Amino acid sequence: MAKYAMLRDAVKRALPAVELQQAPAASADELTLVHTRGYVSAVADGCLSSLAQREIGFPWSEAMAERSRRSVGATLAAVHAAMQTGVAGNLAGGTHHAYADRGGGFCVFNDLAVAARRAQQLWAQSHTDALLVAVIDLDVHQGNGTADIFQGDPSVFTLSVHGEKNFPFSKQKSDLDVGLPDGCADDQYLDALGMALRQLDGRFEPGLVLFLAGADPFEGDRLGRLKISFEGMRRRDHMVFSWCGQRRCPVAFAMGGGYGVRIEETVAVQLNTFGIALESWQRWQNHGYD
């Protein structure tokens, strides 16, 4: 948990051009765009069963419920800003293991899914076509909840590049899954990501990208089991932001997992993501992209 405050302080110190705002709380109506009303009420009222709390990974408290709403609200705000300016992010979020009716893997609500649905809802108020949303999930753990929520939905493309043998051990089917072996290093990882982006390009034309920029593929992560260097992580983020920028496709990103042996290294990886995002945002403002 200390990572979040450390990342916020690092962004303030190292990237003063990044505008930081307090995360708003997602409303019950926004959450129920994806989640069942019974589950949303159970989280709000503290009525989760002991089994449901064990699956999430931590016990219920008022602070837990409030933080979960604000984690979703931050991604909603990032999507709103990205649709206006090109690029925006959430210092937390990326809670992709939450299903419509339950949480899991330290995820209470699925911020990416709620944000996709809310963006589509707002888009429909002033457009006759549907907003197509691509979820590019590069957390080391497959986004099983996100894949399940959007199963069979042609308006949302789910792409997951993850450790094949890592959690969750029972995976869902994304529109495009790329499972990588333990010990995978930079070249194999970046080749796989490039192939995945080319496949996405040939199969889908998004009007919005949601990018889960997990730090856990990094070689110093306790849970990641991959061997991606700091430079490899930098190149990963540059590939995604460049892909979006070259297509003038707004991108909202969230931080997802990061469990470094040294927490400072996780913060450095995620700070670098914000630095690359800032460069991408500046290109948007200059009406150019390389």
Side-chain angles (χ1 to χ4, degrees), residues 85-87 240-242 244-245 248 251 274-286 288-289:
T85 68
V87 183
V240 175
F241 284 113
S242 293
C244 297
R248 300 300 290 178
V251 53
F274 270 87
I276 295 168
L278 176 60
E279 293 173 0
S280 182
W281 177 85
Q282 289 169 337
R283 291 191 184 99
W284 273 80
Q285 310 319 302
N286 294 331
Y289 217 94

Side-chain angles (χ1 to χ4, degrees), residues 235-273:
R235 289 172 62 193
R236 176 201 75 169
D237 292 342
H238 188 268
M239 284 176 67
V240 175
F241 284 113
S242 293
W243 190 92
C244 297
Q246 288 162 4
R247 289 155 183 79
R248 300 300 290 178
C249 180
V251 53
F253 63 101
M255 288 292 93
Y259 315 93
V261 174
R262 297 184 65 250
I263 192 171
E264 296 84 1
E265 291 184 339
T266 297
V267 172
V269 170
Q270 296 190 325
L271 175 63
N272 203 52
T273 301

Side-chain angles (χ1 to χ4, degrees), residues 13-289:
R13 181 177 60 254
L15 301 171
V18 174
E19 179 183 348
L20 294 174
Q21 297 182 3
Q22 182 173 325
S27 68
D29 285 344
E30 289 169 330
L31 294 173
T32 53
L33 290 171
V34 165
H35 295 286
T36 63
R37 193 162 295 278
Y39 177 59
V40 172
S41 297
V43 173
D45 300 336
C47 298
L48 291 170
S49 68
S50 57
L51 174 60
Q53 293 179 63
R54 284 198 301 273
E55 288 183 349
I56 289 170
F58 39 75
W60 183 90
S61 67
E62 289 185 4
M64 171 269 224
E66 179 68 8
R67 181 188 183 280
S68 300
R69 287 190 292 268
R70 288 184 182 271
S71 184
V72 176
T75 299
L76 290 169
V79 167
H80 179 72
M83 294 295 283
Q84 293 180 317
T85 68
V87 183
N90 179 355
L91 286 163
T95 46
H96 59 164
H97 298 311
Y99 286 72
D101 60 349
R102 66 189 188 278
F106 307 118
C107 302
V108 179
F109 300 123
N110 194 310
D111 65 309
L112 301 170
V114 174
R117 285 288 185 244
R118 181 58 173 156
Q120 290 177 326
Q121 183 185 58
L122 292 173
W123 180 269
Q125 293 176 5
S126 56
H127 299 79
T128 57
D129 59 329
L131 176 66
L132 302 183
V133 180
V135 178
I136 299 177
D137 189 336
L138 302 187
D139 192 278
V140 81
H141 306 108
Q142 193 220 29
N144 54 334
T146 310
D148 184 77
I149 287 167
F150 294 120
Q151 192 73 242
D153 183 342
S155 73
V156 179
F157 190 101
T158 53
L159 185 167
S160 180
V161 180
H162 54 264
E164 182 62 32
K165 295 181 179 179
N166 212 321
F167 178 90
F169 303 110
S170 177
K171 295 178 172 58
Q172 299 295 323
K173 182 175 175 56
S174 307
D175 290 297
L176 178 56
D177 283 302
V178 181
L180 300 171
D182 288 359
C184 174
D186 289 9
D187 289 346
Q188 183 180 2
Y189 182 87
L190 295 169
D191 285 348
L193 174 57
M195 177 198 69
L197 291 174
R198 287 191 295 274
Q199 287 197 42
L200 172 59
D201 209 21
R203 295 171 56 184
F204 197 76
E205 189 173 349
L208 170 67
V209 165
L210 302 178
F211 172 31
L212 204 174
D216 41 15
F218 176 61
E219 60 188 350
D221 197 87
R222 288 184 292 113
L223 304 181
R225 296 163 59 171
L226 302 186
K227 297 296 181 183
I228 314 306
S229 69
F230 186 82
E231 173 61 16
M233 297 295 289
R234 187 198 68 78
R235 289 172 62 193
R236 176 201 75 169
D237 292 342
H238 188 268
M239 284 176 67
V240 175
F241 284 113
S242 293
W243 190 92
C244 297
Q246 288 162 4
R247 289 155 183 79
R248 300 300 290 178
C249 180
V251 53
F253 63 101
M255 288 292 93
Y259 315 93
V261 174
R262 297 184 65 250
I263 192 171
E264 296 84 1
E265 291 184 339
T266 297
V267 172
V269 170
Q270 296 190 325
L271 175 63
N272 203 52
T273 301
F274 270 87
I276 295 168
L278 176 60
E279 293 173 0
S280 182
W281 177 85
Q282 289 169 337
R283 291 191 184 99
W284 273 80
Q285 310 319 302
N286 294 331
H287 305 289
Y289 217 94

